[in-house]
Amino acid sequence: MSDLPDQASSPAVPPPTRRERRAGASVRTPRRIYPPGPLTVLATVAYAALIALTGFAGAELVALAVVLGGLVLAWGWPVLLNLPSPRGSTGVLATGTLLMAAAVVLTRRDPFLAWVPAALAVSVVIAFLHQLMRRDGRPRLTESVAGTTTGLAIISSGVALAPLPHVLGGGAALAAAMAGLGVGALADPLIGVKRLRQWALPIGMVLGGLAALAVGLVAGEAQTAAMVLLGLMAAGVSHACRRIMAVLPSAGSARAQLAMSASSSMVIGVVVYGVVRHFVA
């Protein structure tokens, strides 16, 4: 006789169903929520005020403010995402910021964003060249490329704010959107309150819409509905961006918090530009 156990006699255990796997996952991995840090909220409010003020001074000053935000993002983005080769990634993002901002400033007629895709394409090529020039063996290559190109995409969205003063009513609309962004960010601490956590986004959007409406009324804009839409969208998109990034392990450092502020402020650029061109201009 064989000394091996009779495996055929042992009953087969059926694999767990999808419902059982979901139930087990929900028990084993408790959900943890992290609100954005106070530096992120303060920096978001300050940057929104800066963009709003420069919007009445001209497109060139708005472009300078956007460059400032892009450079801050380039400085803190590799820390926030814990990217390998952080210096190289910062250099790529800073170069992309300058190229895309120059593409907007040097365009004197509509469409003002015509050369931004070309500048973004050149920036992506530089990002790949950076990976080829790395001398550390290129660990986590995919993560590095994905993180850098995501930062470039956010910066390309932010530069869409620069030409808004050229559009009819664009200065007031930009101020309304920035009011929605800054005031809506004040609802971020509600994420840390358990009873109000699920209402943080709606409260932030309502506050942003009311702030944008107030700016529109003070500026004498007749299209108050478009102003409210700008405030709602700016507050909602930026809140969602900060809420997603706040759970990252490196989100507690000062550089990471500033990067969160810059990215959540610039990511709304395409949304604001689209609303202004279709509902305000």
Side-chain angles (χ1 to χ4, degrees):
M1 296 179 61
S2 175
D3 295 334
L4 296 177
D6 188 4
Q7 298 180 356
S9 61
S10 60
V13 179
T17 63
R18 182 178 300 177
R19 179 178 298 178
E20 291 174 347
R21 290 196 300 268
R22 289 178 179 176
S26 63
V27 173
R28 290 192 298 268
T29 57
R31 192 176 181 184
R32 303 182 66 182
I33 304 297
Y34 299 92
L39 181 58
T40 300
V41 178
L42 293 177
T44 302
V45 174
Y47 189 68
L50 176 63
I51 295 289
L53 292 176
T54 56
F56 293 101
E60 289 76 12
L61 290 181
V62 177
L64 287 177
V66 170
V67 168
L68 175 62
L71 294 179
V72 171
L73 188 148
W75 179 59
W77 190 253
V79 176
L80 176 64
L81 299 186
N82 192 23
L83 297 179
S85 185
R87 293 183 180 179
S89 299
T90 295
V92 171
L93 294 175
T95 303
T97 298
L98 297 177
L99 288 176
M100 287 182 274
V104 175
V105 173
L106 297 178
T107 304
R108 298 298 180 179
R109 62 181 62 183
D110 201 13
F112 297 101
L113 301 179
W115 290 100
V116 172
L120 177 60
V122 173
S123 303
V124 172
V125 172
I126 295 175
F128 281 100
L129 290 177
H130 161 243
Q131 299 301 325
L132 292 176
M133 296 172 62
R134 287 173 58 185
R135 298 183 178 180
D136 55 353
R138 291 191 286 273
R140 298 157 58 199
L141 176 62
T142 303
E143 182 180 349
S144 180
V145 173
T148 305
T149 52
T150 301
L152 290 173
I154 294 175
I155 294 171
S156 68
S157 177
V159 299
L161 298 171
L164 287 181
H166 291 303
V167 184
L168 181 62
L174 181 59
M178 293 301 107
L181 169 66
V183 176
L186 299 178
D188 285 6
L190 298 180
I191 300 175
V193 182
K194 185 176 181 180
R195 294 183 178 180
L196 299 177
R197 182 175 301 155
Q198 60 182 345
W199 299 102
L201 176 59
I203 292 175
M205 294 181 67
V206 170
L207 292 177
L210 293 177
L213 176 61
V215 171
L217 294 176
V218 172
E221 288 292 330
Q223 299 178 347
T224 55
M227 300 296 162
V228 173
L229 179 61
L230 281 171
L232 289 172
M233 295 297 293
V237 173
S238 62
H239 177 94
C241 183
R242 289 188 300 272
R243 194 160 182 170
I244 290 173
M245 293 184 292
V247 300
L248 295 175
S250 304
S253 65
R255 288 178 62 177
Q257 290 190 50
L258 291 176
M260 288 173 56
S261 171
S263 60
S264 65
S265 301
M266 299 183 72
V267 74
I268 68 172
V270 171
V271 177
V272 174
Y273 186 84
V275 173
V276 171
R277 293 306 300 258
H278 289 87
F279 297 99
V280 179

